[in-house]
Amino acid sequence: MKTSHTVDEARLGIMLNDLRLPTIKTLWPRFAEQADKEGWPAARFLAAIAEHELAERAHRRVARHLAEAHLPSGKTMDSFDFDAVPMISKAQVMAMAAGDSWLAKGANVLMFGPPGGGKSHLAAAIGLALIENGWRVMFTRTTDLVQRLQVARHELQLEAAIARLDKFDLLILDDLAYVTKDQAETSVLFELISARYERRSVMITANQPFGEWNRVFPDPAMTLAAVDRLVHHATIFEMNVESYRRRSALEAKRKRGRPAAYATIKNTPLIDAERQTPAEENLAGDKHGDIITDAAT
Ligand code: ADP
Ligand code: MG
């Protein structure tokens, strides 16, 4: 006897819709048939369709989170050549991709280095891995987000706009130092950083170290306050390597496996001091204030 003969299938379909169980709705006839044929205990049938519903739900969730993240395409961990950035520990990055330890407490990641060194690629790759692990991430050029927040501010909706970003465990602000002078005249970026402080994480990439960030915020005091909040719980990646593409092109030309020379960029003492270490561990007590002051002047 087929189970389907003993129930009102149309009504069952409606109930499964109401319960928002689309996968069970699709799969149950096939599973029921198999269960009947093979004499499964009822509990096994129930467990099987429940597992499928859960798996499909997780799959849909990741797809939704990927769509809202606006990650640049093709920038994955697999396609990132860690040998090109010897100062970055692959193990540390992989641990970071799990997310739990830092996202839960709203810690930040700051990536510094000259153009082409792989900051955006690495940031996007970490973002992608986090989404696959169930976190919500948004990747944006900093100038684009600042522009959006400025519009919200004009409409007296800044607070609401910033609150809407709370759904993202991680905001990746790419190219912070490219914020233009007119954009810097408003404090929306500072408002965003303050609102997320110790609650929601931010990952920032920048060609310019802290010392140059005075162009990004309306005044030096605000720069100082922003940097202070950002570094309080932060891991800093200093990616002082020559442009990856330029290097690849040169290496192809040389046809030799000689490592490229490192480009030199002016670094603040803070960045040197914080290389690859969770900043908070090194910023104990009043030392904190001193370092920030040094970095931002
Ligand atoms: P940045 O953001 O630091 O300016 P990008 O991440 O945009 O640099 O890198 C420039 C280009 O070089 C991108 O196409 C990126 O995928 C590639 N690239 C940079 N570093 C690496 C790397 N270590 N491994 C693989 N590709 C890289
Ligand atoms: Mg970039």
Side-chain angles (χ1 to χ4, degrees):
M1 185 187 75
K2 282 179 84 179
T3 308
S4 51
H5 290 161
T6 65
V7 297
D8 178 347
E9 287 190 26
R11 165 106 182 100
L12 180 55
I14 293 166
M15 289 194 289
L16 292 171
N17 267 349
D18 283 354
L19 291 167
R20 295 183 211 292
L21 298 169
T23 306
I24 290 182
K25 187 186 167 196
T26 313
L27 290 183
W28 81 262
R30 185 154 60 79
F31 274 80
E33 197 182 326
Q34 192 182 357
D36 290 344
K37 208 184 297 170
E38 297 173 8
W40 290 7
R44 177 171 169 198
F45 168 74
L46 184 59
I49 56 172
E51 291 219 353
H52 276 276
E53 183 69 54
L54 273 183
E56 187 54 31
R57 204 173 271 190
H59 185 75
R60 280 197 306 268
R61 192 184 315 118
V62 168
R64 225 174 29 245
H65 293 174
L66 264 179
E68 74 188 4
H70 301 291
L71 292 169
S73 64
K75 305 303 176 192
T76 64
M77 214 68 100
D78 282 347
S79 63
F80 190 77
D81 175 8
F82 281 90
D83 292 341
V85 278
M87 67 288 277
I88 302 291
S89 146
K90 183 174 181 181
Q92 187 185 5
V93 169
M94 295 318 248
M96 206 168 247
D100 317 74
S101 57
W102 60 291
L103 292 179
K105 61 178 181 184
N108 304 319
V109 176
L110 309 173
M111 295 185 181
F112 295 99
K119 301 181 299 297
S120 299
H121 186 143
L122 187 60
I126 293 173
L128 177 62
L130 289 170
I131 291 170
E132 285 165 352
N133 285 322
W135 300 91
R136 291 179 80 175
V137 174
M138 187 177 92
F139 185 105
T140 176
R141 283 194 304 190
T142 312
T143 53
D144 292 348
L145 184 65
V146 165
Q147 206 169 337
R148 271 172 51 196
L149 292 178
Q150 272 184 314
V151 171
R153 185 168 168 270
H154 282 301
E155 295 165 355
L156 306 179
Q157 294 292 323
L158 180 59
E159 217 175 308
I162 287 175
R164 273 198 301 279
L165 295 171
D166 266 5
K167 69 180 179 196
F168 296 108
D169 300 290
L170 176 66
L171 264 190
I172 302 176
L173 303 180
D174 197 30
D175 283 327
L176 180 103
Y178 285 171
V179 168
T180 56
K181 196 165 182 304
D182 60 315
Q183 288 183 324
E185 278 158 17
T186 72
S187 57
V188 293
L189 192 56
F190 180 75
E191 302 281 340
L192 175 71
I193 289 165
S194 298
R196 291 181 77 87
Y197 177 57
E198 290 191 321
R199 293 189 312 110
R200 291 276 184 275
S201 298
V202 183
M203 181 181 283
I204 284 174
T205 79
N207 296 335
Q208 309 279 346
F210 299 124
E212 312 292 323
W213 284 17
N214 274 328
R215 278 184 29 251
V216 176
F217 295 94
D219 61 66
M222 209 179 269
T223 308
L224 208 68
V227 171
D228 189 51
R229 282 164 177 74
L230 286 172
V231 302
H232 187 196
H233 308 281
T235 301
I236 296 176
F237 289 134
E238 189 199 358
M239 298 166 69
N240 286 339
V241 288
E242 198 179 329
S243 158
Y244 185 79
R245 272 192 296 231
R246 199 170 142 242
R247 205 176 113 167
S248 308
L250 281 177
E251 271 169 21
K253 208 170 157 188
R254 283 193 210 114
K255 291 204 165 76
R256 276 194 265 134
R258 209 175 70 188
Y262 288 179
T264 52
I265 67 160
K266 188 172 151 276
N267 278 308
T268 63
L270 174 64
I271 297 172
D272 270 333
E274 296 304 316
R275 174 177 294 201
Q276 274 259 307
T277 54
E280 59 185 314
E281 280 167 22
N282 294 324
L283 293 174
D286 52 0
K287 197 178 152 215
H288 186 175
D290 293 341
I291 290 177
I292 305 305
T293 311
D294 288 348
T297 47

